[in-house]
Amino acid sequence: MIGADSRPIRTSTLMLRLLLFAALAVALMVTDHQGQHLRQIRSALTVLTYPLITIAAIPARIGGWMSDTFTTEEKLRLRYLSLEERHRIVQARLQQYEALEAENRRLRSLLGSATRVSDRAVVAELVEVSTEPFTRMIVINKGSFDNVFLGQPVLDVYGVVGQVTEVNPHISRVTLITDPGHAIPVQVTRTGLRTVLYGTGDDDTVDLPFLTASAKIEKGDMLTSSGMGGRFPPRYPVARVTEVISDPNEAFLQIKATPMARLQHHKEVLLVWPGKTEPLPVEEQ
Amino acid sequence: MKVSALTRSRLIIASTFVVALVLSVVPVPTWAEQFRPDWVGLVLIYWCMATPHRVGMGSAWLVGLLQDVLYGALLGQYALSKTIIAFLAVKLHLRIRVVPPWQQAIAVLVMLAIGQLFVIWVRAVIGKPIQGFSYWTPGIVSMVVWPWVFIILRDIRRRGQVR
């Protein structure tokens, strides 16, 4: 490398410095993994990274703006028509829903149990940036200024998306249900069977480990959030079972499912403030 | 505005790191995610090699920490990985400098792969293991783009008289 600086550096302390910085990093990791002590530091550092995230999101924004601006009238008309049709269908279903909700409230009051308060939801827009490779996270443009809280459930119109795992003043990070470190308590709607659903890191597969061969579950079963653990509100669709393999050599069934939420095609998600809920009654088998 | 040569050097080096950090979070389709080179690692290796008295493990640690925050990863994970990479780059800088860029690329692959190993290790320990072999593709893509990164950064260093 011609012209490079060849001033000598102190190589004698190299090893020492390596040990020092490596130890510092390990100490940081241990503390961060143990609990939430470093939340303040992370939040403070986000002040530095927030501009970077804003810059990184520009290309996607321009792309979105372009596709919004340069669409043909024909396309818009078709979209309008299909949306109108969808709206009509949804509206029709909603009529039924309102009647059912009223009926449900009446039945609950007859049983003497607390009525279920409906959940409040706010739309959050996605900040289109990548996160750590091989994790499944998204960044949204709402933060502690909008009363976002740690562990808050996030949905889209099709099902459960994930939960908020990092809150900063203006942006938050949501860990998706497909993240390899994520688990959500679910219930099979058909049989009432309760279990826990784990992410795999794969976008359209989630796992249901630890179910024995006697478990009442089969392909096509719908999994909804059970509300156990108190983090996710109950009865939101989570995933549909796609595969149940029973291997006599294995202690547990190998069950795969596909998330209901369209995790790949998000532009917006719903932040939910759960209303007061009653735990699900134990259903007799 | 008149700035000293030292301040100018520092500003130029810092801005290349900023660009690398932004490039590491620019959104790409999911399938392309595994082909994203380790921009921060590449820039780090270059500066450790060209100006080892200016950029070393301390800078690597700080940049790594920023990458952790940017990625939402465990704090310290990339700081550790980048420190290791910087150590190797500073340790070997005299030997790598003298060979042409395409040969340097091989050394770059080895250094980044070792750094990557620590990321994999940490993630396995905290229970977020990585499945499949796609974790090695960023290193290989980084190796391929190294000669261009090298040429661009060398031009920046010469024009800006970074020393």
Side-chain angles (χ1 to χ4, degrees):
Chain A
M1 205 188 316
I2 307 122
D5 208 309
S6 49
R7 262 181 282 171
I9 55 155
R10 277 181 300 151
T11 47
S12 53
T13 60
L14 262 186
M15 208 61 188
L16 199 69
R17 272 180 281 163
L18 173 69
L19 287 176
L20 174 73
F21 285 116
L24 217 59
V26 171
L28 205 58
M29 281 189 279
V30 171
T31 327
D32 195 21
H33 195 51
Q34 293 295 322
Q36 297 289 343
H37 311 298
L38 296 179
R39 218 192 301 165
Q40 307 286 334
I41 296 176
R42 199 187 274 273
S43 259
L45 284 169
T46 312
V47 175
L48 292 176
T49 55
Y50 183 59
L52 301 186
I53 282 183
T54 317
I55 297 168
I58 288 173
R61 273 193 165 187
I62 292 175
W65 176 80
M66 295 259 270
S67 69
D68 279 354
T69 314
F70 300 107
T71 42
T72 60
E73 196 191 318
E74 178 67 13
K75 256 190 200 160
L76 277 177
R77 208 171 56 82
L78 282 176
R79 224 183 117 194
Y80 173 75
L81 285 178
S82 80
L83 279 176
E84 203 177 39
E85 197 184 320
R86 271 245 311 270
H87 177 76
R88 217 172 285 144
I89 295 169
V90 170
Q91 204 66 37
R93 277 205 200 145
L94 207 60
Q95 291 173 8
Q96 241 180 349
Y97 173 82
E98 268 157 21
L100 283 172
E101 203 188 8
E103 189 182 323
N104 186 289
R105 209 177 299 136
R106 214 166 41 244
L107 287 171
R108 270 182 182 275
S109 68
L110 280 176
L111 285 169
S113 67
T115 48
R116 192 167 165 260
V117 183
S118 47
D119 308 326
R120 191 165 69 85
V122 162
V123 174
E125 231 174 282
L126 238 67
V127 180
E128 299 213 33
V129 289
S130 290
T131 51
E132 196 191 355
F134 307 96
T135 56
R136 291 290 175 263
M137 288 190 269
I138 52 174
V139 179
I140 54 171
N141 71 345
K142 294 265 187 291
S144 51
F145 282 5
D146 310 279
N147 297 324
V148 173
F149 60 91
L150 209 62
Q152 182 167 23
V154 178
L155 315 174
D156 72 358
V157 288
Y158 302 100
V160 176
V161 169
Q163 59 176 299
V164 175
T165 47
E166 185 193 320
V167 183
N168 299 305
H170 299 288
I171 52 170
S172 309
R173 211 176 278 276
V174 177
T175 300
L176 303 182
I177 53 169
T178 47
D179 187 88
H182 193 269
I184 168 174
V186 292
Q187 184 165 36
V188 179
T189 38
R190 190 172 55 85
T191 57
L193 175 77
R194 274 194 225 125
T195 181
V196 179
L197 182 132
Y198 290 82
T200 58
D202 191 0
D203 265 320
D204 36 43
T205 326
V206 279
D207 253 349
L208 288 162
F210 319 129
L211 279 180
T212 51
S214 62
K216 289 175 181 166
I217 189 165
E218 59 187 45
K219 192 181 159 188
D221 274 350
M222 179 73 165
L223 302 163
T224 54
S225 53
S226 69
M228 303 294 272
R231 185 151 284 194
F232 289 94
R235 296 189 193 87
Y236 280 107
V238 178
R240 191 178 286 285
V241 177
T242 51
E243 197 182 304
V244 179
I245 299 173
S246 172
D247 183 350
N249 294 322
E250 301 278 340
F252 300 110
L253 289 170
Q254 293 169 39
I255 305 170
K256 301 249 174 277
T258 312
M260 297 302 289
R262 306 229 171 138
L263 301 174
Q264 299 264 359
H265 312 285
H266 286 146
K267 285 253 182 288
E268 279 142 5
V269 290
L270 291 169
L271 279 164
V272 178
W273 281 263
K276 209 178 79 189
T277 48
E278 283 279 291
L280 286 188
V282 180
E283 275 161 57
E284 299 301 328
Q285 305 275 316
Chain B
M1 195 174 69
K2 192 101 173 106
V3 286
S4 71
L6 179 65
T7 317
R8 195 188 51 228
S9 298
R10 280 186 180 155
L11 274 176
I12 290 172
I13 292 172
S15 47
T16 56
F17 275 121
V18 166
V19 172
L21 283 169
V22 168
L23 282 176
S24 66
V25 287
V26 161
V28 292
T30 315
W31 61 267
E33 197 73 65
Q34 52 179 310
F35 298 109
R36 187 202 296 273
D38 183 358
W39 295 112
V40 178
L42 288 172
V43 171
L44 179 67
I45 290 174
Y46 179 82
W47 291 120
C48 283
M49 229 168 65
T51 56
H53 52 276
R54 189 78 57 228
V55 174
M57 279 172 265
S59 340
W61 195 86
L62 281 176
V63 173
L65 192 69
L66 281 181
Q67 203 179 357
D68 283 324
V69 177
L70 211 52
Y71 272 165
L74 189 70
L75 279 186
Q77 182 180 316
Y78 282 92
L80 176 66
S81 159
K82 292 293 181 284
T83 304
I84 307 276
I85 292 173
F87 168 75
L88 294 170
V90 172
K91 185 102 182 150
L92 303 172
H93 75 278
L94 287 175
R95 276 181 242 178
I96 309 172
R97 264 184 194 179
V98 292
V99 298
W102 66 269
Q103 280 180 25
Q104 293 174 353
I106 299 165
V108 166
L109 171 67
V110 173
M111 288 189 274
L112 291 180
I114 292 172
Q116 202 82 299
L117 213 58
F118 280 85
V119 172
I120 294 176
W121 172 64
V122 169
R123 293 203 36 184
V125 170
I126 62 168
K128 281 189 173 185
I130 290 143
Q131 294 173 339
F133 290 99
S134 45
Y135 211 71
W136 300 106
T137 47
I140 292 163
V141 178
S142 301
M143 178 180 79
V144 174
V145 298
W146 167 258
W148 286 275
V149 172
F150 173 81
I151 289 165
I152 291 166
L153 286 177
R154 189 181 55 186
D155 274 7
I156 290 173
R157 182 175 57 79
R158 285 180 181 165
R159 295 240 178 102
Q161 293 169 321
V162 178
R163 50 175 64 98

